[in-house]
């Protein structure tokens, strides 16, 4: 993602955290069309896609104090949009009229471009989560996940016990999960972490 875009978003989100309505309006104007297109690609209903957009930005306003300016605001929006659209589809499956309308007009998928964009945003978050680990824990995590080394191999190479490696990996996974959950929400984690781990 363009560093200039990230920087601008960071400034606006910092202002939004403090209740700045103008910053909120600028972020809405910048992203509402993208969120609408994404929601529409999931639920294939103009009316309900508009409702998703409204709900996404209401949630942003309500959660503004907890936003993290240094993280991708765009990824945060798309995560909320995905969860909101899926919640709508679950609700639709329980309402006969809505079910008939939605499931006759919906294909739950999104374009390769949107898929690529979400994966790119997720990779950035994942990288930040890993980089936030203490150095030794990060090293053990990368030896296990990136180099495919067993706990025994890591133990021998670093001169530590296998139990220490297990403990460090457990703490690394916990820290990464908490990092991702605090940013994107539990549904985002459930959808994306299997790909990661």
């Amino acid at each position: 993602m363009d560093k200039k875009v990230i920087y601008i978003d960071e400034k606006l989100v910092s202002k939004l955290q403090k209740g700045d309505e103008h910053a909120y309006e600028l972020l809405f104007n910048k992203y509402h069309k993208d969120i609408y297109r994404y929601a529409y690609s999931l639920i294939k209903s103009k009316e309900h896609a508009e409702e998703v957009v409204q709900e996404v930005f209401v949630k942003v306003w309500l959660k503004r104090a907890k936003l993290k300016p240094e993280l991708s605001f765009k990824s945060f929006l798309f995560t909320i949009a995905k969860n909101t659209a899926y919640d709508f589809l679950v609700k639709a499956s329980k309402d006969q009229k809505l079910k008939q309308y939605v499931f006759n007009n919906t294909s739950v998928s999104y374009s390769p471009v949107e898929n690529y964009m979400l994966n790119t945003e997720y990779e950035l978050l994942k990288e930040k989560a890993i980089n936030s680990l203490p150095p030794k824990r990060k090293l053990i995590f990368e030896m296990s996940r990136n180099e495919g080394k067993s706990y025994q191999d890591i133990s021998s190479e670093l001169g530590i016990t296998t139990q220490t490696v297990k403990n460090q990996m457990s703490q690394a996974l916990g820290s990464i999960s908490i990092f991702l959950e605090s940013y994107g929400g539990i549904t985002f984690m459930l959808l994306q972490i299997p790909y990661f781990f």
Side-chain angles (χ1 to χ4, degrees), residues 129-142 144-145 151 160-180 189 193 196-197:
I130 293 168
N131 287 335
S132 72
L133 297 172
K136 184 176 181 181
R137 193 170 300 157
K138 179 183 174 187
L139 174 64
I140 291 169
F141 179 86
E142 289 179 335
S144 172
R145 298 301 180 183
Y151 288 0
I160 56 178
T161 67
T162 305
Q163 188 58 48
T164 300
V165 175
K166 286 181 184 175
N167 291 343
Q168 289 293 316
M169 280 299 293
S170 176
Q171 290 175 15
L173 293 172
S175 297
I176 291 167
S177 293
I178 289 167
F179 182 97
L180 295 174
M189 287 178 61
I193 280 185
F196 178 26
F197 298 118

Side-chain angles (χ1 to χ4, degrees), residues 10-21 23:
E10 204 171 302
K11 289 275 195 188
L12 290 173
V13 172
S14 292
K15 291 180 179 180
L16 174 58
Q17 266 186 320
K18 298 167 188 163
D20 187 316
E21 292 180 16

Side-chain angles (χ1 to χ4, degrees), residues 1 110-123:
M1 179 180 278
Y110 45 97
S111 75
V113 173
E114 288 161 333
N115 189 23
Y116 173 78
M117 185 184 67
L118 286 175
N119 283 337
T120 302
E121 296 286 349
Y122 181 74
E123 286 300 317

